[in-house]
Amino acid sequence: MTDNSAEAAAPSRRALIGWGGAGLALGAVAAGGTVAMATAGDDADQAGAETGAAIAFHGDHQAGVSTPVQDRLHFAAFDVTTDDRAAFVQMLKDWTEAARKMTAGQAVGEGAYGGLAEAPPDDTGEALGLKPSRLTLTIGFGPSLFGKFGLQDQRPEALIDLPKFAGDNLDKNRSGGDLCIQACADDPQVAVHAIRNLARIGFGKVVIRWSQLGFGKTSSTTPEAQTPRNLMGFKDGTRNIAGTETDRLKKFVWVDEKDGPGWMAGGSYLVARRIRMHIETWDRTSLQEQEDIFGRDKGEGAPVGKAKERDEPFLKAMLPDAHVRLAHPDSNQGATILRRGYSFTDGTDGLGRLDAGLFFLAYQRDVREGFVRIQRNLAKDTLNEYIQHVGSAVFAVPPGVRGTDDWWGSTLLTEEA
Amino acid sequence: MTDNSAEAAAPSRRALIGWGGAGLALGAVAAGGTVAMATAGDDADQAGAETGAAIAFHGDHQAGVSTPVQDRLHFAAFDVTTDDRAAFVQMLKDWTEAARKMTAGQAVGEGAYGGLAEAPPDDTGEALGLKPSRLTLTIGFGPSLFGKFGLQDQRPEALIDLPKFAGDNLDKNRSGGDLCIQACADDPQVAVHAIRNLARIGFGKVVIRWSQLGFGKTSSTTPEAQTPRNLMGFKDGTRNIAGTETDRLKKFVWVDEKDGPGWMAGGSYLVARRIRMHIETWDRTSLQEQEDIFGRDKGEGAPVGKAKERDEPFLKAMLPDAHVRLAHPDSNQGATILRRGYSFTDGTDGLGRLDAGLFFLAYQRDVREGFVRIQRNLAKDTLNEYIQHVGSAVFAVPPGVRGTDDWWGSTLLTEEA
């Protein structure tokens, strides 16, 4: 079975109609449009870029990692409040069922008005009539989860507690979490709706610890797309791993069976960092200094001394502490991560400065050989004068849900502790 | 001269190319696309709904009021920190020039890399390559501004300090402001870029007091469009004033010359309210109760006893304290406002509840006969169990900028105090 392949997509498409009994088709069907099922992680990806399409939920890998990056993000970290393993497992099954429906553009359960008038609607309703919008929902398990439900021995070695890095100024209220859900969609209302409905299903079992809305993608995972710009005004993600680069995904992103533990095969590890930018200070910095700091020019995004964005960087032409040079695989024993970050703006702080920056999301096969190695090297980055890491979390992202009988976390939690 | 008419659009289109000298065309031109100039407030509106198009900045009225509602919002309230009237006027002129360029999809000043390498770029750069995205920038003047710069005698009678309403729980850090800028665009990065660059131009003269990002429009001002849903899952704005309804706009939205003061002719008054929804409580309420509270059904949005969303409501069929009944013009001596609100989600509070709701924006010819009358009547609204007003502001929105020599606030500030 390949990643969210056409084979995986077909049942979902049928299901979109089949599940229509009491449920309500929220999306393209309700809106009178057509539903294009797309797949993640292979050449059929581009179909997923079609406006409003659905991304297949089932596959060897979870969608939302190598899937072409959607425009908007709602990310939520949860803490588990129950100590009843069976209740927790049931919630994961209920979440999976809801995720399957929402990613197909359908309402949760009996819908917003498909149930009894005397009961609260199963679905909160604000996504009725909206398209699937390429929604992906991706689950991750934090280190603290493995202190619960007898899971101690299942914790992957690669799921380390992140070390303290130079310059970290972490807010514990924006860090950690037993679980996470990454909701990406081209329509923010679809992403917000998904997190809200999962939180609601989880009532009494989990509670949201923190959440983050991202309004603009800062990395592309489709090589031919225009590279997005971060809030420093620079193109970001030029050399990112593309969803079509099967070899690099295998080498740097997906956990191999031999890496262990077995339940993580086909999964990945996610590092989330809330990076505040001191944009008012940055905005008073000269163009030359900005370009020196990055090691690329601002307009084209070409590496120092080169003409085009995608030209191979010549690292020695850059200042020793240029960001691109320090973050480059050649400066980090080959370390390579898949970035999926989003710009955020969360109002204004007490001094009238925009609370804005980059919500950095990176997927990798091993955190120790990916983010940790690169972030250690970035200790001397001149960019650090203008940014500060204020939130941090790490999650083990299990493999994909294989079919309609499977559920999120089944490889970890199927056997009784 | 009609509202942001084709005549007004033409100079802007020429300017898009004419200003290209040292400046950079950010938008459709840079992206290799075409620029479709659209107009606000007349039949040509629909052209503005074209993806990525530009909305004309010049006109009798400011764009962003009767303009078809864009998908995303960044709203900022500013306090004035200078007591130098000339410096404040110069800032308004500089803001106008920047707004003219950004709404046309161009960079501010010499652009992000069009100036001297030794100087900070004039434009922060994160919107380079993005389309104009129907950006509108709308300025408003708060009551407190009229305590400055010798403007006491210019304060409109209609610009009252809002009374305290039943249930208000206002946070002063999310209320008030000497000035506001409403940035609406179909791409949030374009709206955020605009506020950031205006804040930067205002450095030393104004400081952001508070700001609000809105991710989903909750009202439509185009009658034929699908009515959006708020975070309670209900359609919102079914009977809103449409941008094409010239007579209703004239009667309820635009300040008439005879209303006074003269400098406000062609302007409007804006009420902004941050309305937090207790969505976890709402989500536990039965469908029947939800529909009784609104006075419409959840799926179709039809008024009680009627079949279709746009059927005329029969108010006496609703419960006496149903929201639609209490807010209806017939229950408020005809009071009618133009709504332009957005859904927001600002992370999570200390109890794991989503800090989410409606950022309500309403335009009217006279606040006393519009919002105040309706909001007083809503004191008995059963919806109040599920919402709370936590931020509030009111602004006088001056008339439009008439041409390239005109500037925001010219009718108020041209004469020396």
Side-chain angles (χ1 to χ4, degrees):
Chain A
M1 188 173 183
T2 61
D3 324 349
N4 312 72
S5 66
E7 283 175 279
S12 296
R13 184 204 292 266
R14 283 198 302 274
L16 184 68
I17 295 139
W19 290 333
L24 175 79
L26 274 181
V29 168
T34 56
V35 176
M37 296 303 291
T39 68
D42 62 19
D43 283 353
D45 267 348
Q46 297 323 306
E50 193 181 309
T51 309
I55 302 281
F57 179 69
H58 295 143
D60 282 355
H61 311 297
Q62 290 192 71
V65 181
S66 66
T67 308
V69 183
Q70 302 93 326
D71 291 342
R72 322 282 170 231
L73 168 81
H74 195 191
F75 189 97
F78 295 84
D79 280 336
V80 174
T81 54
T82 182
D83 53 12
D84 178 343
R85 179 170 165 142
F88 179 64
V89 165
Q90 187 57 51
M91 185 203 77
L92 290 173
K93 291 177 177 175
D94 294 343
W95 270 14
T96 307
E97 179 62 16
R100 201 177 269 132
K101 298 188 88 171
M102 292 191 288
T103 54
Q106 298 179 296
V108 170
E110 305 287 310
Y113 49 92
L116 295 171
E118 300 72 29
D122 286 341
D123 188 287
T124 57
E126 72 271 25
L128 289 169
L130 302 181
K131 295 178 181 165
S133 306
R134 297 203 296 133
L135 174 67
T136 55
L137 295 167
T138 312
I139 198 169
F141 301 138
S144 51
L145 183 70
F146 296 87
K148 307 180 185 200
F149 306 127
L151 294 172
Q152 307 79 291
D153 299 341
Q154 307 285 348
R155 178 170 170 177
E157 273 182 42
L159 186 67
I160 58 167
D161 295 303
L162 291 180
K164 181 166 167 43
F165 297 100
D168 276 4
N169 184 21
L170 305 181
D171 176 353
K172 71 174 172 43
N173 294 319
R174 294 189 189 272
S175 299
D178 292 336
L179 294 172
C180 75
I181 299 283
Q182 170 197 281
C184 297
D186 289 335
D187 185 331
Q189 186 129 334
V190 169
V192 168
H193 169 265
I195 293 291
R196 174 185 180 184
N197 280 272
L198 294 181
R200 189 171 175 232
I201 290 168
F203 183 75
K205 275 86 73 182
V206 296
V207 64
I208 292 184
R209 180 182 172 90
W210 54 272
S211 71
Q212 180 68 53
L213 215 67
F215 68 79
K217 63 184 175 188
T218 64
S219 294
S220 169
T221 49
T222 43
E224 67 289 356
Q226 176 178 302
T227 308
R229 291 179 185 272
N230 60 31
L231 289 183
M232 290 178 151
F234 278 77
K235 291 184 183 173
D236 206 326
T238 299
R239 296 171 58 82
N240 205 14
I241 301 174
T244 46
E245 294 181 287
T246 317
D247 290 349
R248 285 176 90 202
L249 287 169
K250 187 171 156 59
K251 186 168 178 190
F252 296 118
V253 177
W254 304 128
V255 175
D256 193 89
E257 211 158 329
K258 71 172 162 37
D259 297 339
W263 70 267
M264 272 296 288
S268 189
Y269 295 95
L270 168 62
V271 171
R273 306 278 287 187
R274 188 174 192 270
I275 306 176
R276 171 94 188 258
M277 293 175 178
H278 306 308
I279 58 173
E280 290 80 4
T281 316
W282 178 255
D283 287 349
R284 290 197 284 273
T285 306
S286 76
L287 177 62
Q288 186 65 56
E289 189 169 344
Q290 291 186 6
E291 295 186 337
D292 287 346
I293 287 170
F294 269 98
R296 288 183 181 271
D297 84 284
K298 196 162 190 175
E300 164 64 23
V304 173
K306 299 296 178 90
K308 305 301 287 178
E309 178 192 350
R310 292 180 199 284
D311 287 349
E312 188 67 33
F314 179 58
L315 299 184
K316 290 185 179 165
M318 299 176 188
L319 296 180
D321 50 8
H323 180 72
V324 164
R325 181 169 178 171
L326 292 174
H328 194 278
D330 290 354
S331 306
N332 296 285
Q333 304 157 267
T336 304
I337 55 182
L338 185 155
R339 283 162 291 153
R340 242 187 171 273
Y342 285 83
S343 291
F344 69 84
T345 301
D346 291 336
T348 314
D349 70 13
L351 299 170
R353 298 176 305 200
L354 285 175
D355 179 4
L358 169 65
F359 188 65
F360 174 92
L361 294 169
Y363 287 90
Q364 57 239 285
R365 185 171 167 186
D366 190 317
V367 173
R368 298 163 294 186
E369 294 165 16
F371 176 76
V372 170
R373 214 181 260 173
I374 297 167
Q375 188 60 20
R376 283 218 167 105
N377 203 37
L378 290 178
K380 34 188 186 297
D381 192 349
T382 38
L383 195 57
N384 293 336
E385 278 184 52
Y386 304 95
I387 61 174
Q388 190 158 54
H389 288 235
V390 295
S392 177
V394 60
F395 301 96
V397 174
V401 173
R402 310 301 168 109
T404 48
D405 291 336
D406 197 9
W407 45 278
W408 269 334
S410 64
T411 58
L412 173 64
L413 285 144
T414 292
E415 284 179 38
E416 278 304 317
Chain B
M1 188 174 182
T2 60
D3 323 348
N4 311 73
S5 66
E7 284 177 279
S12 296
R13 185 204 292 267
R14 283 200 301 274
L16 184 67
I17 295 139
W19 291 334
L24 176 79
L26 274 181
V29 168
T34 56
V35 176
M37 297 303 292
T39 68
D42 62 20
D43 284 350
D45 267 348
Q46 297 323 306
E50 193 181 309
T51 308
I55 303 281
F57 179 69
H58 296 142
D60 282 355
H61 310 297
Q62 289 191 71
V65 181
S66 66
T67 308
V69 183
Q70 302 94 325
D71 292 342
R72 321 283 169 230
L73 169 80
H74 195 191
F75 189 97
F78 295 84
D79 280 337
V80 174
T81 54
T82 182
D83 53 11
D84 179 341
R85 178 170 166 140
F88 178 64
V89 166
Q90 187 57 51
M91 185 204 76
L92 289 173
K93 291 177 177 175
D94 294 343
W95 269 15
T96 307
E97 178 63 15
R100 201 177 269 134
K101 298 188 88 171
M102 292 190 289
T103 53
Q106 298 180 297
V108 170
E110 304 287 311
Y113 48 93
L116 295 171
E118 299 72 30
D122 286 342
D123 188 286
T124 57
E126 72 272 25
L128 288 169
L130 301 181
K131 294 178 181 166
S133 305
R134 298 202 297 134
L135 173 68
T136 55
L137 295 167
T138 313
I139 199 169
F141 301 137
S144 51
L145 183 70
F146 296 88
K148 306 180 185 197
F149 305 128
L151 294 171
Q152 307 82 296
D153 299 342
Q154 307 284 346
R155 178 170 170 176
E157 273 183 42
L159 185 67
I160 58 167
D161 295 302
L162 291 179
K164 182 166 167 41
F165 297 100
D168 276 4
N169 184 20
L170 305 181
D171 176 352
K172 70 174 173 41
N173 295 320
R174 293 188 190 271
S175 299
D178 293 335
L179 294 172
C180 75
I181 298 283
Q182 171 197 280
C184 297
D186 289 335
D187 185 330
Q189 185 130 333
V190 168
V192 168
H193 169 265
I195 293 292
R196 174 186 180 184
N197 280 272
L198 295 180
R200 190 171 173 231
I201 290 167
F203 183 75
K205 275 86 74 180
V206 296
V207 64
I208 293 183
R209 180 183 172 89
W210 55 271
S211 71
Q212 181 68 53
L213 215 66
F215 69 79
K217 62 182 175 187
T218 64
S219 295
S220 171
T221 48
T222 43
E224 68 288 359
Q226 175 177 303
T227 308
R229 290 179 185 273
N230 60 32
L231 289 183
M232 290 178 152
F234 278 76
K235 290 184 183 175
D236 207 325
T238 299
R239 297 171 57 83
N240 206 13
I241 301 174
T244 46
E245 294 182 287
T246 316
D247 290 349
R248 285 175 90 203
L249 287 169
K250 187 173 155 60
K251 186 168 178 190
F252 296 117
V253 177
W254 304 128
V255 175
D256 193 88
E257 210 158 330
K258 71 172 162 37
D259 297 338
W263 70 267
M264 272 297 288
S268 190
Y269 295 95
L270 168 62
V271 171
R273 305 278 286 187
R274 188 174 191 272
I275 306 176
R276 171 95 188 257
M277 293 174 178
H278 305 309
I279 58 174
E280 290 79 6
T281 316
W282 178 254
D283 287 348
R284 289 197 285 273
T285 306
S286 77
L287 177 62
Q288 187 65 58
E289 189 170 344
Q290 291 186 6
E291 294 185 338
D292 286 348
I293 287 169
F294 269 98
R296 289 183 180 272
D297 84 284
K298 196 162 189 175
E300 164 64 23
V304 173
K306 300 296 179 90
K308 304 301 287 179
E309 177 192 349
R310 293 181 198 283
D311 288 348
E312 188 68 31
F314 179 59
L315 299 185
K316 290 185 178 165
M318 300 176 189
L319 296 179
D321 50 7
H323 180 73
V324 164
R325 181 168 178 172
L326 292 174
H328 194 278
D330 290 354
S331 306
N332 296 285
Q333 304 157 269
T336 305
I337 55 182
L338 185 154
R339 282 163 293 153
R340 242 186 172 274
Y342 286 82
S343 291
F344 70 83
T345 301
D346 292 335
T348 315
D349 70 13
L351 300 170
R353 299 177 304 201
L354 286 175
D355 179 4
L358 169 64
F359 188 67
F360 174 93
L361 294 169
Y363 287 89
Q364 57 240 286
R365 185 170 166 186
D366 190 317
V367 173
R368 297 164 296 187
E369 294 165 15
F371 176 77
V372 170
R373 215 181 259 173
I374 298 167
Q375 188 60 19
R376 283 221 167 103
N377 203 39
L378 291 178
K380 34 190 187 294
D381 192 349
T382 39
L383 194 56
N384 293 337
E385 277 185 51
Y386 303 94
I387 61 174
Q388 189 159 54
H389 288 235
V390 296
S392 177
V394 59
F395 300 96
V397 173
V401 173
R402 310 301 167 110
T404 48
D405 291 336
D406 196 10
W407 45 279
W408 268 335
S410 64
T411 57
L412 173 64
L413 285 144
T414 292
E415 284 181 39
E416 277 306 318

